[in-house]
């Protein structure tokens, strides 16, 4: 029985006219693609075989992609990549090291090999594959994979989530964004952000030269990983983390250990209402605006605008929902659902953020290329 028959009423609205060359082409394509006879023809006809196989592969990947994510999760949970870090191991040794029965380890290893996470290297032995090795070099990604168990549970009924019937799920409980959130409640998310921040900070700091600035405010700066990178790249820069009070308290403790003396401070403030400390010539929002609904994100941009001198700039760095230059399918298909589960925020395109910056009073807002736009794109908004 198709999923659409499971108690849902069919749409009763007449379709819109699909005009222009684009509409005509799409109607023709969709009529052909939906036809079983055309599909059978394409599979047999030598000139269309490769394209038809590529579409079949994409559709199969979409249908079963959740199991790929669970294989990855299982590998990370048993520490498979760390166990293979020193070299290949036999299946039995892997099974023992990962506390799995040999039969279960074999299933996991076959699956992981199919996904390039590990590689079979001799009969019944495996080494790291290219993706497994890359993961070892990115502890932040492993932390996110583990964290995704919360989202996975929240997505068990995506329709309930989309209907807003699933308020206060696991992801929402993980992010208690309130001045009153207690220190314990913010520890888990602050730790996760700190573990995943270094790769973003490196991207931003190598794309944007902070040496042109004197004083940076990093709004929603978490435990201060980003300001530490910026301050190391720009030795004359002073910086201040602005975050909710319990997070700022954690940042102060961590920053004391960073060895940057009194160049970096941290204060507790609600960035929607401000005021922000005066004197900054650059304010950054790194992975902050997408967590907030339009009203709150606009309020934050306006608060930043009010705190800046006429030569000041705002840096916005986050994964953006543009299909080509941005986070690709992750922008809408992952961040869209993640933020829905969180109960606030939305992934925005660069153009949407640029329009918001202009509405908040910035004269211009330009995109600056980062080396890995899939992780974060960068916008620079100028006051004057
Ligand atoms: C997704 S985390 C990003 C942290 C850090 N910028 C990073 O990229 O690792 C968002 C941060 O914004 C902070 N935040 C949320 N609402 C805030 C508000 N109204 N005012 C100030 N900070 C806020 C959170 O406490 C959290 O540290």
């Amino acid at each position: 029985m198709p999923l659409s028959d499971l108690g849902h009423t069919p749409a009763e609205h007449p379709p819109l006219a699909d005009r222009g060359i684009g509409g005509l082409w799409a109607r023709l394509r969709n009529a052909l693609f939906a036809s079983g006879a055309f599909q059978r023809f394409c599979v047999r006809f030598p000139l269309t075989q490769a394209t038809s196989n590529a579409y079949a592969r994409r559709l199969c990947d979409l249908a079963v992609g959740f199991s790929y994510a669970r294989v990855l999760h299982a590998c990370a949970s048993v520490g498979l990549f760390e166990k293979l870090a020193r070299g290949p191991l036999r299946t039995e040794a892997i099974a023992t090291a990962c506390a799995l029965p040999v039969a279960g380890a074999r299933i996991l290893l076959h699956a992981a090999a199919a996904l390039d996470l590990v590689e079979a290297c001799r009969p019944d032995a495996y080494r790291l594959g290219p993706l497994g090795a890359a993961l070892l070099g990115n502890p932040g990604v492993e932390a996110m994979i583990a964290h995704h168990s919360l989202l996975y549970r929240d997505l068990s009924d995506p329709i309930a989530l989309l209907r807003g019937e699933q308020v206060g799920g696991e992801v929402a409980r993980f992010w208690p964004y309130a001045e009153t959130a207690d220190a314990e409640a913010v520890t888990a998310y602050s730790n996760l952000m700190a573990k995943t921040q270094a790769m973003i900070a490196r991207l931003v700091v190598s794309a944007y030269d902070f040496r042109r600035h004197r004083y940076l405010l990093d709004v929603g700066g978490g435990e201060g990983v980003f300001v530490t990178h910026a301050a190391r790249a720009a030795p004359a820069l002073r910086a201040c983390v602005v975050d909710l009070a319990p997070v700022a308290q954690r940042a102060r403790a961590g920053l004391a250990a960073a060895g940057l003396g009194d160049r970096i401070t941290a204060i507790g403030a609600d960035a929607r209402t401000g005021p922000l400390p005066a004197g900054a010539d650059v304010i950054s929002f790194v992975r902050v605006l997408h967590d907030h609904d339009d009203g709150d994100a606009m309020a934050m941009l306006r608060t930043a605008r009010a705190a800046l001198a006429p030569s000041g700039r705002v840096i916005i760095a986050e994964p953006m929902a543009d299909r080509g230059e941005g986070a690709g399918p992750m922008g809408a298909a992952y961040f869209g659902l993640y933020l829905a589960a969180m109960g606030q925020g939305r992934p925005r395109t660069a153009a949407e953020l640029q329009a918001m910056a202009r509405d908040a009073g910035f004269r211009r807002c330009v995109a600056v290329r980062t080396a890995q736009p899939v992780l974060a794109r960068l916008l620079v908004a100028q006051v004057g």
Side-chain angles (χ1 to χ4, degrees):
M1 189 197 308
L3 283 176
S4 55
D5 287 354
L6 296 174
H8 305 295
T9 47
E12 280 161 12
H13 303 289
L16 301 173
D18 201 359
R19 296 199 188 86
I21 294 287
L24 183 65
W25 158 242
R27 277 204 308 283
L28 181 64
R29 179 202 59 203
N30 292 350
L32 288 172
F33 276 32
S35 145
F38 181 74
Q39 290 178 7
R40 285 189 293 279
F41 165 78
C42 289
V43 169
R44 283 194 315 269
F45 185 56
L47 292 182
T48 50
Q49 230 167 32
T51 312
S52 107
N53 279 335
Y55 274 110
R57 165 70 57 86
R58 280 184 64 192
L59 205 47
C60 290
D61 281 345
L62 283 183
V64 305
F66 68 97
S67 56
Y68 301 165
R70 292 323 272 172
V71 168
L72 180 60
H73 184 270
C75 292
S77 305
V78 294
L80 178 63
F81 307 123
E82 288 78 6
K83 286 172 178 110
L84 292 177
R86 289 196 302 126
L89 290 173
R90 291 204 176 280
T91 301
E92 282 187 11
I94 295 173
T96 310
C98 296
L100 288 172
V102 174
R106 204 161 265 138
I107 293 169
L108 182 63
L109 288 162
H110 277 158
L115 298 174
D116 287 337
L117 294 165
V118 300
E119 262 170 15
C121 57
R122 58 179 91 157
D124 221 20
Y126 291 85
R127 62 164 87 92
L128 279 177
L131 297 185
L135 268 172
L136 263 191
N138 281 293
V141 179
E142 273 211 60
M144 283 308 290
I145 292 166
H147 168 70
H148 282 149
S149 288
L150 307 188
L151 180 61
Y152 194 74
R153 288 193 283 273
D154 281 354
L155 289 183
S156 65
D157 185 351
I159 302 303
L161 179 74
L162 296 171
R163 287 189 175 139
E165 293 164 1
Q166 194 177 289
V167 178
E170 297 202 29
V171 173
R173 286 201 298 280
F174 185 79
W175 298 100
Y177 278 173
E179 274 282 30
T180 50
D182 62 62
E184 218 172 290
V186 299
T187 299
Y189 84 67
S190 294
N191 275 337
L192 178 67
M193 287 297 94
K195 277 189 199 147
T196 58
Q197 173 53 253
M199 57 188 174
I200 308 290
R202 277 195 291 271
L203 269 189
V204 176
V205 165
S206 56
Y208 185 82
D209 188 356
F210 281 90
R211 285 174 304 181
R212 73 184 82 184
H213 294 293
R214 289 175 290 99
Y215 186 29
L216 162 70
L217 290 187
D218 186 30
V219 174
E223 300 196 352
V225 177
F226 178 70
V227 285
T228 307
H229 277 75
R232 293 208 169 112
L237 187 75
R238 287 189 306 119
C240 176
V241 171
V242 180
D243 208 302
L244 300 172
V247 183
Q249 204 177 340
R250 291 181 60 80
R252 273 193 288 277
L255 288 168
L260 288 158
D262 55 7
R263 278 175 64 202
I264 307 185
T265 52
I267 63 152
D270 186 329
R272 294 166 301 183
T273 50
L276 300 178
D281 57 347
V282 59
I283 295 181
S284 50
F285 292 96
V286 182
R287 300 192 298 179
V288 170
L289 295 182
H290 59 14
D291 279 2
H292 296 275
D293 294 339
D294 288 356
D296 283 346
M298 279 303 298
M300 288 184 177
L301 286 170
R302 289 203 173 97
T303 312
R305 167 71 188 80
L308 281 168
S311 61
R313 291 177 174 198
V314 152
I315 309 283
I316 301 169
E318 59 187 37
M320 294 180 197
D322 308 70
R323 278 204 72 177
E325 221 343 55
M330 270 193 354
Y334 164 71
F335 284 106
L337 289 176
Y338 188 101
L339 294 167
M342 189 170 155
Q344 62 179 68
R346 68 184 181 94
R348 299 182 177 89
T349 61
E352 285 175 313
L353 286 163
Q354 285 169 313
M356 287 170 75
R358 281 191 295 271
D359 283 353
F362 291 90
R363 190 172 59 83
R364 58 197 293 257
C365 182
V366 295
V368 174
R369 211 182 169 281
T370 62
Q372 283 185 299
V374 67
L375 292 181
R377 289 191 75 192
L378 184 60
L379 299 176
V380 180
Q382 288 172 253
V383 174

